Amino acid sequence: MHLMEVVSALNLPKTSRDDVRDVLEQLKGLGMAREMPGNRYRLEKRTRPSTPAAAPAPATEPRGDELTGWITRHPRGFAFVAAEDGGPDVFVPAPYVGHSMHGDRVRVRTKPSPKGREGEVVEVVRHGVSRVAGLLRIRGDRHWIEPGDPRLPEAVDVVGTIPLGVKPGDEVVAIIETYPRFPGERMEARVLGTLGVRGSAAVEIEKIKIREGIEEAFSEEVLAEAQLFGTRLRQEEIDAREDLRHLDIVTIDPPDARDHDDAVWAERLEGGSFRVVVAIADVSYYVRPGTALDESALDRATSIYLPDRVIPMLPHELSSNLASLVPNEDRLTLAVEVEVGPKGAIKKHRFLEGVMRSRARLSYEGVARALHFTEEGHPQHEAETRLELLRTLWDVSAVLRARRRQRGSLDFDLPEPQIVLGDDGEPIDIRRSRTDPGVRKAYGMIEDLMLLANEVVAADLSRRGVPAIYRVHGAPNEAKIEIFAELASSLGYQLDEDAGVHPGKLADFLKRVEGTAHAQALNSLLLRAMQQASYQTTNIGHFALAAPDYLHFTSPIRRYPDLAVHRVVRDLVRKDRIDHEKLAETLKLQAAVSSRLERRAMQVDREANDLYRAILMKDRVGESFDGTITGVAEHGLYVAFDEPFVDARVPIDTLGEDWYELDSLGLRLVGRRSGHSFALGDRLTVRLERVSIAERELTAVIEQKLPDDRDLLAPRGDAEPRRPRSSAKKPERREGKRARAPERSSKKKAGARGGARDKKGRDQKGNARAVERKRPAKKSKSRR
């Protein structure tokens, strides 16, 4: 049954759909229901004895295995535990999360379930969050904080003296003094001070960091260890290394990059082959296992990139200075030297500990201009004087990319936001990044070289049977690919049924749709159908790259798995003895932690982008924007504006006096009576109606459909017929009324989700529910 059919069968108002969905999610967690495509659910059939007398005596339920991991709680109550054993996440139904909090390290007792591992929390091993942010409330002698995080208790009691100047209603930060020890026990915290002006970018970013347990500052112990290395290399360190300083090796990065962890050089050989050196900052020389630096690096696992700053994995003494491959300074490197054949085959390779000196810091824009990929921007002297090197690097990139495409590597093309900040740190514009095709070529050139190094290292370690942390990406779920194929077919694009096991067919499909009206939507939908890449010690290959062996090696300044792999490669170069069993256990834990914290960084990145979008648009309510429908759901539409690069939700209750329903494929909302529809790829003019900084959400209403040639949706099967757009009349909209079924009483017309509405039809309670949509994390290079 469709979600709304369940609502109707229960004789509930349409506004109860979220509550019904919550119950269905709980039934899914208990294995009693299963979610189907198109917001439909089915009852899971359970066999039972024909009569009670025939039923066997109930057996004692086994205790199951116990494991530790980090819990991620959902606002609806259930949770997932990222297991430290390297296995799949453990689903924890709401009744079994105990007194654990979001971000805690917990011990869970597991049992198998139809959808994987399920369990209950039996112990909180370590709390992951030490601070809490929210509004200070005072009533009589009672002081409490209302956290902004729905995964935390509704109220946190305040203990101790409140600092001077802090008053009720302020946004405050407090340190947690007492954690709940059992369900229902209250949390207590001591107020440290105010955060600042509510709704400003600085305050909202700080609240995100507090909620996720992100500490920006390093401990004194960590800083002391980093400072022990000084600011320059010692002569004995240089003498112990292979000297690469004679090479005209360069870094190529964004203009504002501060950490330079890779440099490249290449030359042509006889017969059309190439000699390539990819030199990577030797972070493992400085960050040794068992040190405070190492523990801190693993606790962060990845640098976090925000619009106004970078929260680095390593202290600036290393990440921006001694370990960074800055120009004209001697630096330690762990390099990969590869001989690449004329058609991209790897002839031979070797690893080496070296000392290098970057001869120039090139930018992607400067490289693109020097290679005549673009006429935009200003020439960069360092790039213009290295045309032969850059042409050689480009030719290497071209043969590598051709070989990768031949084997079926996927190349998703999705825009990323580029947030422009003013002097006060507030956003003044949001653009699509890398819109210049020439600059994209320069980015792609470096990505090809980084992929080369990553694959060469992975293949070498796999062949030797040495434990390592691999970057794995499994084949997509067959059912999801079948659904995607049906979606694509409805839009007029055919996809082979067995494409889910042949990445080359998916790559061909992406090539065919490139430049079409639905290219962005299809790229996004296919990305959602894919599994998420992760770090594992079991090498299952990388489906999207069509690579049997792949790992991360090229960014040890900002990613812990790269650092861990460097240590393994160093042992091989030095021919040190490796304890395979001990190393495998260590790497398994590091892989699990890295995968979990990578997901956290991606979530923070997405939320920060949504926050800056909301702040940018808060003073533009009432303005009209042209845009494209990029998402369709049972509760409304998502429209991406042409300019600036933001998107808004159009609630279903603003579409008109019809009852709009999602079609079976989730591609369009169709009016039951009129047949009017709003489909993926439609062009619209919308008016921005509401901006919620707290919810990171923009809400808009449709003013008109824009005529274009994008109507590729043909009626299929039992789908409602769609009127030709040339004759379709824009649905009329009454202010303050929601879309409803013909039989709805006048009493039930008022207010979205049951809230009172003002004269402009806006929900005064602001109860619009944000829906998480998968987007790629912002990466400067080697984003796979």
Side-chain angles (χ1 to χ4, degrees):
M1 297 174 67
H2 189 278
L3 170 65
M4 297 311 299
E5 291 180 295
V6 179
V7 173
S8 177
L10 294 171
N11 294 318
L12 294 173
K14 196 174 177 183
T15 53
S16 299
R17 59 176 172 259
D18 287 341
D19 295 328
V20 174
R21 184 191 288 105
D22 289 345
V23 177
L24 290 169
E25 290 289 341
Q26 293 183 37
L27 293 175
K28 279 174 53 185
L30 295 172
M32 298 172 66
R34 181 151 56 100
E35 187 173 3
M36 308 297 289
N39 285 288
R40 286 170 165 75
Y41 296 81
R42 70 182 303 166
L43 189 67
E44 287 285 71
K45 294 181 180 179
R46 295 188 171 211
T47 59
R48 61 176 61 190
S50 57
T51 64
T60 303
E61 185 173 350
R63 291 179 58 85
D65 297 327
E66 291 191 357
L67 54 83
T68 55
W70 297 85
I71 192 165
T72 299
R73 293 193 57 168
H74 192 277
R76 296 183 190 173
F78 58 86
F80 290 92
V81 174
E84 292 178 350
D85 65 356
D89 289 353
V90 179
F91 172 72
V92 182
Y96 304 112
V97 298
H99 60 281
S100 63
M101 294 172 48
H102 175 71
D104 285 352
R105 184 169 182 253
V106 298
R107 186 164 55 89
V108 293
R109 183 178 299 126
T110 66
K111 63 179 180 179
S113 74
K115 298 191 71 173
R117 295 196 293 187
E118 185 177 310
E120 62 174 318
V121 175
V122 295
E123 181 188 4
V124 174
V125 178
R126 169 186 164 190
H127 290 293
V129 177
S130 61
R131 298 180 298 162
V132 62
L135 295 177
L136 178 65
R137 302 297 190 190
I138 299 178
R139 181 179 299 162
D141 294 334
R142 187 190 168 205
H143 300 63
W144 73 96
I145 297 171
E146 293 180 354
D149 186 355
R151 297 168 299 191
L152 291 175
E154 293 183 357
V156 177
D157 288 343
V158 172
V159 296
T161 304
I162 296 178
L164 292 175
V166 179
K167 58 186 184 299
D170 283 353
E171 289 272 7
V172 298
V173 56
I175 188 166
I176 300 173
E177 298 280 2
T178 304
Y179 293 89
R181 293 164 297 177
F182 49 82
E185 185 178 17
R186 301 185 73 90
M187 183 191 300
E188 296 179 335
R190 175 168 50 86
V191 176
L192 300 177
T194 60
L195 285 172
V197 179
R198 185 181 186 187
S200 66
V203 168
E204 295 300 320
I205 289 292
E206 189 63 25
K207 287 163 64 176
I208 294 173
K209 287 166 49 187
I210 292 170
R211 186 195 69 208
E212 297 297 335
I214 297 172
E215 296 287 349
E216 192 162 353
F218 291 91
S219 71
E220 293 183 4
E221 185 181 8
V222 171
L223 292 176
E225 284 189 2
Q227 292 163 2
L228 281 176
F229 296 105
T231 58
R232 302 180 69 86
L233 297 183
R234 298 189 299 270
Q235 189 60 44
E236 56 267 27
E237 294 172 325
I238 295 175
D239 293 341
R241 300 280 182 133
E242 183 172 339
D243 198 337
L244 302 177
R245 290 177 293 181
H246 62 285
L247 299 179
D248 189 25
I249 197 164
V250 297
T251 61
I252 304 177
D253 290 295
D256 56 351
R258 296 182 61 185
D259 54 337
H260 306 278
D261 44 22
D262 60 80
V264 292
W265 174 85
E267 68 175 350
R268 301 179 191 275
L269 303 176
E270 293 183 3
S273 295
F274 303 90
R275 177 190 172 207
V276 182
V277 173
V278 179
I280 309 300
D282 192 357
V283 177
S284 62
Y285 175 81
Y286 303 103
V287 184
R288 306 290 178 88
T291 62
L293 265 172
D294 184 49
E295 292 177 4
S296 171
L298 184 56
D299 280 344
R300 299 179 179 225
T302 180
S303 296
I304 298 176
Y305 292 82
L306 299 172
D308 64 336
R309 81 196 87 162
V310 176
I311 302 176
M313 183 180 77
L314 300 172
H316 291 292
E317 286 81 357
L318 295 179
S319 62
S320 302
N321 295 310
L322 190 57
S324 183
L325 305 182
V326 295
N328 303 316
E329 294 287 348
D330 292 343
R331 290 293 183 258
L332 301 182
T333 179
L334 192 59
V336 182
E337 182 181 273
V338 189
E339 184 175 334
V340 179
K343 294 186 177 181
I346 309 303
K347 291 188 172 182
K348 60 182 179 180
H349 73 276
R350 71 183 182 107
F351 308 137
L352 59 101
E353 290 183 279
V355 59
M356 58 156 285
R357 181 180 295 175
S358 171
R359 298 301 183 89
R361 172 184 170 180
L362 308 185
S363 68
Y364 290 113
E365 291 76 5
V367 169
R369 180 68 187 255
L371 290 173
H372 301 292
F373 293 159
T374 182
E375 296 300 322
E376 299 295 326
H378 300 287
Q380 185 181 17
H381 175 74
E382 294 85 350
E384 300 288 340
T385 56
R386 288 178 171 80
L387 282 179
E388 181 56 34
L389 172 63
L390 295 179
R391 287 169 180 156
T392 303
L393 291 171
W394 174 251
D395 288 345
V396 174
S397 165
V399 298
L400 290 173
R401 179 158 294 203
R403 186 176 181 86
R404 214 170 59 244
R405 284 180 172 171
Q406 186 178 21
R407 75 187 187 203
S409 177
L410 299 176
D411 190 9
F412 291 99
D413 184 17
L414 290 170
E416 297 178 6
Q418 180 183 359
I419 298 174
V420 182
L421 302 179
D423 294 337
D424 59 354
E426 299 294 299
I428 57 176
D429 193 13
I430 301 179
R431 308 164 184 163
R432 289 169 173 81
S433 66
R434 307 180 198 175
T435 54
D436 188 319
V439 176
R440 287 207 302 271
K441 283 186 177 182
Y443 272 92
M445 180 179 78
I446 292 300
E447 183 177 79
D448 290 334
L449 297 172
M450 297 305 108
L451 292 174
L452 168 67
N454 289 337
E455 290 187 40
V456 166
V457 175
D460 186 288
L461 299 185
S462 178
R463 177 180 56 82
R464 296 173 188 258
V466 178
I469 296 178
Y470 292 93
R471 182 67 168 178
V472 302
H473 184 241
N477 179 276
E478 183 178 349
K480 289 185 177 181
I481 290 297
E482 288 178 357
I483 293 172
F484 175 77
E486 193 171 358
L487 293 174
S489 177
S490 297
L491 293 171
Y493 309 97
Q494 298 304 313
L495 178 65
D496 291 343
E497 294 180 357
D498 60 346
V501 295
H502 297 290
K505 293 187 176 182
L506 292 177
D508 291 342
F509 173 82
L510 292 177
K511 190 68 176 176
R512 291 201 310 272
V513 303
E514 186 177 348
T516 66
H518 295 93
Q520 180 178 335
L522 288 170
N523 270 263
S524 179
L525 289 169
L526 179 56
L527 188 61
R528 295 181 195 182
M530 308 291 284
Q531 292 192 42
Q532 184 174 349
S534 63
Y535 296 109
Q536 293 182 22
T537 54
T538 302
N539 181 20
I540 64 170
H542 197 293
F543 178 85
L545 291 174
D549 308 291
Y550 189 70
L551 52 67
H552 280 165
F553 175 80
T554 56
S555 295
I557 288 178
R558 63 184 178 95
R559 292 189 304 228
Y560 194 91
D562 304 57
L563 171 60
V565 170
H566 271 232
R567 290 171 179 157
V568 178
V569 173
R570 174 193 303 282
D571 288 343
L572 294 176
V573 171
R574 295 183 176 182
K575 298 181 180 179
D576 291 342
R577 179 181 175 275
I578 298 176
D579 185 336
H580 284 221
E581 185 175 349
K582 182 178 179 181
L583 177 60
E585 287 302 313
T586 299
L587 294 179
K588 182 181 291 187
L589 174 61
Q590 293 170 348
V593 171
S594 297
S595 290
R596 175 180 66 86
L597 293 179
E598 179 193 39
R599 291 196 295 266
R600 181 184 73 171
M602 293 171 63
Q603 172 62 27
V604 169
D605 177 81
R606 284 194 296 265
E607 186 172 353
N609 288 335
D610 289 342
L611 165 66
Y612 278 86
R613 285 168 170 151
I615 293 175
L616 176 70
M617 302 302 289
K618 63 181 171 46
D619 295 326
R620 302 188 67 175
V621 172
E623 293 185 33
S624 298
F625 302 88
D626 291 344
T628 304
I629 296 177
T630 55
V632 183
E634 84 278 357
H635 53 74
L637 311 168
Y638 289 94
V639 178
F641 296 179
D642 295 345
E643 295 291 342
F645 184 30
V646 303
D647 54 8
R649 186 174 68 90
V650 178
I652 194 171
D653 56 9
T654 66
L655 297 183
E657 290 302 303
D658 208 339
W659 176 292
Y660 281 86
E661 292 183 332
L662 192 68
D663 73 347
S664 60
L665 295 178
L667 288 176
R668 58 183 178 179
L669 286 170
V670 183
R672 178 182 292 180
R673 291 182 300 169
S674 65
H676 291 161
S677 66
F678 297 93
L680 201 69
D682 281 354
R683 296 280 296 162
L684 304 171
T685 297
V686 299
R687 183 175 69 253
L688 186 61
E689 283 283 283
R690 175 178 174 268
V691 173
S692 172
I693 294 176
E695 297 172 4
R696 324 285 195 233
E697 186 179 61
L698 282 61
T699 306
V701 296
I702 296 173
E703 290 189 331
Q704 64 174 335
K705 273 190 176 182
L706 297 175
D708 61 15
D709 58 353
R710 300 187 182 207
D711 192 0
L712 301 176
L713 295 177
R716 293 176 51 83
D718 57 354
E720 294 286 345
R722 184 176 185 181
R723 295 183 181 181
R725 183 166 301 175
S726 58
S727 63
K729 182 179 178 181
K730 184 177 81 73
E732 295 181 356
R733 172 181 172 272
R734 297 183 189 176
E735 300 292 340
K737 302 287 180 84
R738 63 177 285 110
R740 69 193 195 283
E743 66 271 13
R744 283 182 68 98
S745 68
S746 60
K747 182 178 180 180
K748 294 182 179 179
K749 293 179 183 178
R753 303 181 187 277
R757 302 176 67 85
D758 63 15
K759 63 183 181 180
K760 291 186 178 182
R762 291 193 292 257
D763 182 353
Q764 294 174 339
K765 291 186 178 181
N767 287 331
R769 186 171 62 87
V771 177
E772 180 179 333
R773 286 161 292 141
K774 188 177 291 185
R775 303 183 207 167
K778 178 172 55 182
K779 300 293 181 185
S780 61
K781 48 198 169 184
S782 191
R783 57 187 175 185
R784 295 183 178 84

